[in-house]
Amino acid sequence: SHSIPVRSSETEDLRVDGRGCEDYRCVEVETDVVSNTSGSARVKLGHTDILVGVKAEMGTPKLEKPNEGYLEFFVDCSANATPEFEGRGGDDLGTEIANTLYRIFNNKSSIDLKSLCISPREHCWVLYVDVLLLECGGNLFDAISIAVKAALFNTRIPRVRVLEDEEGSKDIELSDDPYDCIRLSVENVPCIVTLCKIGYRHVVDATLQEEACSLASLLVSVTSKGVVTCMRKVGKGSLDPESIFEMMETGKRVGKVLHTSLQSVLHKEESLGPKRQKVGFLG
Amino acid sequence: MAMEMRLPVARKRLSESLGRESKKHLVVPGDTITTDTGFMRGHGTYMGEEKLIASVAGSVERVNKLICVKALKTRYNGEVGDIVVGRITEVQQKRWKVETNSRLDSVLLLSSMNLPGGELRRRSAEDELAMRGFLQEGDLISAEVQAVFSDGAVSLHTRSLKYGKLGQGVLVQVSPSLVKRQKTHFHDLPCGASVILGNNGFIWIYPTPEHKEEDAGGFIANLEPVSLADREVISRLRNCIISLVTQRMMLYDTSILYCYEASLPHQIKDILKPEIMEEIVMETRQRLLEQEG
């Protein structure tokens, strides 16, 4: 019976915790938290806690795209997050999130995959992006996409050179300097904005309680310039085409602000330099 | 629209900021409390190898010869006379099963429930069939603990007009150890909202009704829309309670009220930011100390 006050509040832009319909909870972002990865990030959005690690490994390019590297996503819903994820309970959600991540990156401009190519048809960099759900507090997709973007920003791929022998066999040489790396441009990496329909309005960044009251949600993947790369509807309720259009417009607007905030935090963290105080997990 | 992203800040240890002289004796499961065998064992302890060992994580309390460990975060253990707020999970033959954050589901017997009109009569077969009309799955009720079964399950009753089905409001779930035992758990706060502090850790915040509906007997839930001003007060109270809980302060009407007053200069949604939360609770703590001393 707590759903009734939630539904009537939305009509006047005041949610249970005092936020407006387009306000996010306080987000904490920290990169470079896992030392044996090429890049990592941890994002805390209210009670939602996500850890992403990126490992760069050498592999063979795909047959249909011989000049490009690629990304592989894997999502692990840890049993620490909620008791429902015990055993194989979290597998379905994990596959769903991984498939959504594949979809939002499935276009030419999100990530420059050509820069991941070492030698065409033979060697390329494969980025294995592992997402770990530490705690579930609502709005998983947004938090995961923010963490993936931050981790890709933090990723440092070692610089390699291809040397060719007289016989024609190729050898890959790693640079001696461990700090000689290439970094990825994450300007066009999209972030997901989830809009949940509650009553007659839609809200951004729903808590677990608000998600329970919402019958239908729209996931919009937006880049920093406001371009929508993909859209998906979840939930068993139905959405009016007009609502979908409004929610998409809200998603674009909110997405642009999300990207600007994330970019400024990541640059601020980088400006503190490698000697900055890391808070990590016991802070 | 507001969007705030920031870098994490390491939290300060509470004891340093408080300057507390007397340190509490904190234990974790398996810690030895004492090797002196002259003490009686209370809750949360067990005797093993001639030593008294703690079985829960919490602080040690000693009353003369009785040692017990009061756990920080537990499930609710029912005591007769406690006020609880619970949610109906099942409708069975002559009773309802109520979820009260305890180890077993609590039970609300049909015979312990007030009938509409306050009449006193034996419950008939028609009453049994009409049970779902009174309380359905998902409804929230306030009730009092009538008895505790031998396995720890709690039996509730709503045999007073102040208990019954709850209407519009906000539920906050906290640990039962943070709710202070008081004479009354129903408070009408001067800021414009009322609060029920359930001993089981379920706290219900609702708008103060203009007139007391005595004849309904707690059945007809008021489903009219709540005004914006009332809703703001309720949201602010909810955020204040959450900040008190995060800083592990006991919850009772005075602490909630002081916290509410300390939070007035801030916007409602800002109360949950870590630094503002610390500031508000610090001010509340100081006011409470001044009031005691």
Side-chain angles (χ1 to χ4, degrees):
Chain A
S1 75
H2 72 265
S3 60
I4 305 158
V6 172
R7 265 189 244 133
S8 57
S9 332
E10 307 319 324
T11 58
E12 278 165 3
D13 204 25
L14 181 73
R15 288 149 86 169
V16 171
D17 52 5
R19 283 185 290 156
C21 291
E22 291 182 12
D23 290 339
Y24 266 85
R25 288 169 284 181
C26 194
V27 186
E28 281 184 4
V29 178
E30 196 183 7
T31 63
D32 207 24
V33 282
V34 184
S35 48
N36 60 342
T37 52
S38 312
S40 60
R42 183 173 176 214
V43 168
K44 274 207 272 202
L45 173 63
H47 279 292
T48 304
D49 204 341
I50 311 279
L51 178 65
V52 172
V54 179
K55 272 187 143 28
E57 291 188 7
M58 276 213 268
T60 356
K62 294 195 175 145
L63 285 172
E64 63 270 15
K65 299 209 170 112
N67 295 327
E68 295 177 355
Y70 54 97
L71 273 76
E72 292 276 353
F73 293 100
F74 177 68
V75 179
D76 181 16
C77 298
S78 153
N80 288 337
T82 86
E84 287 136 23
F85 291 164
E86 203 186 345
R88 303 196 73 91
D91 283 358
D92 283 342
L93 181 62
T95 351
E96 190 192 334
I97 300 176
N99 288 341
T100 314
L101 287 171
Y102 276 119
R103 267 185 73 178
I104 67 174
F105 277 87
N106 189 18
N107 57 70
K108 287 192 281 284
S109 48
S110 292
I111 271 253
D112 185 13
L113 295 169
K114 290 199 170 45
S115 63
L116 296 175
C117 179
I118 303 171
S119 59
R121 285 186 300 277
E122 284 170 1
H123 300 285
C124 72
W125 285 112
V126 182
L127 295 179
Y128 291 97
V129 181
D130 293 317
V131 179
L132 178 61
L133 243 70
L134 293 169
E135 205 183 338
C136 254
N139 204 21
L140 289 175
F141 286 94
D142 293 26
I144 289 177
S145 64
I146 296 174
V148 166
K149 181 165 178 176
L152 288 170
F153 176 81
N154 180 242
T155 305
R156 275 145 176 80
I157 305 174
R159 216 181 280 277
V160 291
R161 280 189 312 151
V162 184
L163 304 167
E164 207 162 315
D165 276 19
E166 303 87 34
E167 290 126 34
S169 63
K170 294 195 180 149
D171 209 11
I172 299 196
E173 186 193 282
L174 197 63
S175 157
D176 284 331
D177 181 5
Y179 292 106
D180 185 17
C181 316
I182 54 171
R183 292 184 64 179
L184 297 166
S185 157
V186 295
E187 268 175 26
N188 285 324
V189 169
C191 273
I192 302 179
V193 177
T194 311
L195 300 119
C196 293
K197 187 144 168 90
I198 302 179
Y200 294 114
R201 285 186 77 145
H202 49 270
V203 296
V204 163
D205 191 22
T207 59
L208 276 177
Q209 285 179 333
E210 288 168 339
E211 281 182 354
C213 298
S214 149
L215 287 173
S217 312
L218 194 70
L219 295 174
V220 182
S221 150
V222 188
T223 65
S224 53
K225 296 190 182 64
V227 175
V228 175
T229 70
C230 101
M231 212 162 72
R232 210 179 117 215
K233 179 212 162 273
V234 292
K236 54 187 188 219
S238 58
L239 287 175
D240 213 56
E242 277 163 28
S243 317
I244 296 184
F245 182 72
E246 273 173 29
M247 286 156 96
M248 202 173 75
E249 293 299 311
T250 311
K252 284 201 279 193
R253 204 171 355 119
V254 169
K256 281 203 266 199
V257 180
L258 180 74
H259 279 285
T260 353
S261 314
L262 180 61
Q263 238 128 14
S264 67
V265 164
L266 290 174
H267 286 296
K268 181 172 156 197
E269 195 187 35
E270 188 154 349
S271 68
L272 292 172
K275 301 267 190 306
R276 67 179 161 95
Q277 191 101 32
K278 288 196 194 172
V279 173
F281 289 90
L282 300 173
Chain B
M1 74 145 289
M3 169 97 225
E4 195 190 315
M5 270 207 220
R6 47 163 76 176
L7 297 172
V9 175
R11 286 184 305 210
K12 297 195 295 270
R13 290 178 68 112
L14 258 183
S15 51
E16 285 158 13
S17 52
L18 285 176
R20 213 198 280 266
E21 309 90 20
S22 61
K23 294 252 178 209
K24 280 193 179 177
H25 185 194
L26 297 173
V27 289
V28 290
D31 270 358
T32 313
I33 304 173
T34 176
T35 43
D36 192 347
T37 48
F39 287 105
M40 286 198 294
R41 309 181 266 113
H43 287 300
T45 67
Y46 65 96
M47 190 69 87
E49 297 160 29
E50 314 248 332
K51 298 184 288 188
L52 205 58
I53 305 178
S55 63
V56 290
S59 55
V60 176
E61 294 193 353
R62 210 196 106 204
V63 181
N64 296 336
K65 282 240 163 238
L66 176 70
I67 288 196
C68 59
V69 182
K70 188 162 165 246
L72 283 173
K73 184 178 157 191
T74 78
R75 290 251 174 198
Y76 170 58
N77 292 317
E79 310 270 340
V80 177
D82 279 354
I83 313 281
V84 294
V85 171
R87 202 181 274 279
I88 308 286
T89 52
E90 275 178 55
V91 182
Q92 294 186 342
Q93 271 213 302
K94 276 204 190 67
R95 58 194 194 170
W96 289 274
K97 285 280 183 168
V98 184
E99 200 247 301
T100 50
N101 196 23
S102 37
R103 288 189 199 94
L104 297 165
D105 270 342
S106 307
V107 158
L108 174 63
L109 297 169
L110 177 58
S111 48
S112 314
M113 177 100 200
N114 258 354
L115 288 173
E119 39 185 291
L120 299 168
R121 57 175 170 78
R122 275 191 82 130
R123 308 292 189 259
S124 61
E126 283 143 10
D127 288 319
E128 253 184 83
L129 294 170
M131 272 177 81
R132 200 166 251 121
F134 300 152
L135 292 173
Q136 277 198 335
E137 287 92 340
D139 283 344
L140 277 170
I141 55 160
S142 65
E144 192 179 318
V145 175
Q146 185 176 40
V148 181
F149 296 124
S150 50
D151 55 3
V154 157
S155 174
L156 304 171
H157 77 86
T158 56
R159 276 191 168 284
S160 168
L161 292 172
K162 57 181 181 181
Y163 305 127
K165 187 152 78 167
L166 298 171
Q168 303 255 50
V170 172
L171 183 72
V172 184
Q173 294 176 335
V174 310
S175 170
S177 49
L178 290 172
V179 179
K180 190 167 174 181
R181 268 182 204 276
Q182 290 186 288
K183 266 165 98 175
T184 168
H185 287 257
F186 289 78
H187 301 285
D188 282 336
L189 298 174
C191 44
S194 301
V195 73
I196 304 180
L197 296 165
N199 284 94
N200 60 336
F202 283 15
I203 299 183
W204 180 249
I205 315 170
Y206 59 106
T208 312
E210 273 109 41
H211 50 275
K212 301 279 177 198
E213 288 131 16
E214 293 293 346
D215 41 9
F219 267 117
I220 321 292
N222 189 1
L223 290 179
E224 284 166 16
V226 182
S227 72
L228 183 61
D230 279 340
R231 253 193 278 128
E232 285 183 352
V233 172
I234 292 176
S235 294
R236 192 176 278 277
L237 274 173
R238 175 205 179 261
N239 285 357
C240 287
I241 291 179
I242 291 184
S243 33
L244 287 170
V245 165
T246 320
Q247 303 280 318
R248 315 305 293 186
M249 281 209 61
M250 291 296 276
L251 290 172
Y252 51 106
D253 54 347
T254 323
S255 68
I256 296 177
L257 191 61
Y258 285 175
C259 193
Y260 178 86
E261 286 168 7
S263 76
L264 283 174
H266 304 279
Q267 273 202 322
I268 305 176
K269 58 189 174 195
D270 291 337
I271 300 176
L272 294 175
K273 290 195 188 143
E275 64 277 1
I276 299 189
M277 205 190 282
E278 274 174 28
E279 183 194 318
I280 294 177
V281 176
M282 189 66 71
E283 197 182 313
T284 312
R285 217 178 244 129
Q286 277 175 338
R287 264 186 85 177
L288 286 169
L289 281 175
E290 277 167 36
Q291 193 216 21
E292 281 168 37

